[in-house]
Amino acid sequence: MSTGQGTGSGGRAIEVRHLRAFLAVADAGSVTRAAARLRVTQPVVSRTLAALERHLGVRLVDRSTHHLALTPEGVAFRDRAAAAVGAFDEALDPGRLHARPLRVGHAWSAFGPYTTPLLRTWQQRHPGTPLELLRIDDRTAGLTRGEVDAALLRGPVDTPGLVTEVLFTEARVAAVAADGPLAARASLSLADLAGDAVVLNTVSGATTLALWPPHTRPAATVTVANTDDWLTAIAAGRGAGVSGASTAQMHPHAGVAYLPLDDAPALPVLLARREGPGHPALPRLAALAREIVAREQRTRPRDSGAERE
């Protein structure tokens, strides 16, 4: 059945099966896995995808590596294709819930203390739409690459094409070696960390040297690419780190002590999505996230340090 787009430059009508093949490849990251999911052969998927690209006149998938990746045009087209397929399915069977998973990325600490309440409440209210929480070590947690539908991010995000909403803010904490001299302190200041190296996650972290005043910036930095390496470097005494209070809750480490950081500004926690229609369940996710934060903040002890107004 045709989508009604006409024949375009490819000379043949584009049908819903072309969109389904593209979405399967985008989700699976592989033509082979997409073919298995669609129960067709690999050449069929390749030909179908190629026909769609010819029709649109753009390359949607970068085939230069074994792990396929969407091009920027593919990322932009993915939401439109998913919306079109969803509308088509709903028109044929309005009573059937579309069960495409809602994928939410995060680079570390997810939704902090609200992670479990969010997942449990979503499952209770929306069992027909699985919520998948994916850790992706990237500043936008895979959102700009089209790997997820939304992302929970920390710190300011100025990436073009993204829409963000601040859900809550959390206090920042210092992370120091558990057997080091700073671990015995009740709290620390940014100046206390400036005498030694600071460990920065330059791939997905929210802390940069700009957090310190120019006259008290750390003398040296150690750069890492993910939270696991960040913790390992701090435990080994290579330097101290700064993160949000949720990191202390979600990533305890025997070799790392987390201490309040008295003079650091609060860290905003954002829900981000791409511009455009996106996954149909995104408005429900945003509403539930706001509800969970409001509910938990009413009942959570005020001295927990997890959030600041």
Side-chain angles (χ1 to χ4, degrees):
M1 179 177 293
S2 172
T3 60
Q5 295 182 27
T7 58
S9 60
R12 297 183 62 184
I14 293 300
E15 304 172 354
V16 172
R17 64 183 177 86
H18 292 86
L19 303 183
R20 293 195 197 279
F22 164 69
L23 291 173
V25 171
D27 288 341
S30 162
V31 172
T32 301
R33 289 193 292 270
R37 181 180 301 182
L38 296 171
R39 298 182 180 180
V40 297
T41 65
Q42 181 176 337
V44 167
V45 173
S46 296
R47 288 196 300 269
T48 304
L49 178 61
L52 177 62
E53 290 177 323
R54 286 196 302 272
H55 176 85
L56 296 174
V58 296
R59 178 63 66 89
L60 299 174
V61 176
D62 182 359
R63 301 168 177 82
S64 61
T65 61
H66 293 295
H67 177 75
L68 301 185
L70 297 184
T71 64
E73 293 80 7
V75 170
F77 183 69
R78 180 179 193 165
D79 288 339
R80 298 198 298 272
V85 172
F88 178 83
D89 290 341
E90 185 177 0
L92 292 184
D93 187 0
R96 184 172 68 86
L97 288 175
H98 186 46
R100 180 165 74 90
L102 176 60
R103 300 158 304 150
V104 180
H106 69 102
W108 84 96
S109 297
F111 205 26
Y114 313 121
T115 302
T116 298
L118 177 71
L119 294 175
R120 287 181 174 176
T121 305
W122 182 272
Q123 173 62 25
Q124 293 168 358
R125 297 185 184 179
H126 311 295
T129 304
L131 178 60
E132 297 180 356
L133 197 60
L134 306 173
R135 175 179 162 181
I136 301 175
D137 289 311
D138 175 77
R139 187 64 188 96
T140 64
L143 187 58
T144 57
R145 299 201 303 260
E147 297 181 27
V148 294
D149 302 297
L152 294 162
L153 307 176
R154 283 168 169 78
V157 176
D158 55 5
T159 305
L162 298 187
V163 178
T164 63
E165 173 186 355
V166 177
L167 296 174
F168 67 97
T169 61
E170 61 182 10
R172 296 191 197 236
V173 296
V176 300
D179 58 355
L182 294 179
R185 302 274 294 274
S187 64
L188 295 171
S189 67
L190 288 170
D192 292 327
L193 305 180
D196 201 354
V198 64
V199 183
L200 301 177
N201 176 355
T202 56
V203 173
S204 58
T207 301
T208 68
L209 289 180
L211 181 65
W212 282 262
H215 62 284
T216 59
R217 286 182 178 170
T221 60
V222 176
T223 59
V224 296
N226 56 63
T227 301
D228 297 329
D229 291 346
W230 181 80
L231 290 168
T232 299
I234 294 170
R238 299 182 62 196
V242 175
S243 191
S246 292
T247 305
Q249 300 170 339
M250 305 292 285
H251 297 280
H253 192 291
V256 175
Y258 294 99
L259 302 173
L261 197 54
D262 295 331
D263 57 347
L267 185 64
V269 180
L270 318 173
L271 179 64
R273 61 174 177 82
R274 293 183 295 275
E275 291 179 342
H279 193 291
L282 281 174
R284 287 179 284 164
L285 174 66
L288 181 58
R290 291 190 292 265
E291 176 189 330
I292 292 292
V293 170
R295 184 183 73 197
E296 295 292 318
Q297 287 189 353
R298 286 196 301 266
T299 59
R300 192 174 295 273
R302 299 305 300 169
D303 60 351
S304 66
E307 29 330 280
R308 292 177 178 169
E309 298 298 340

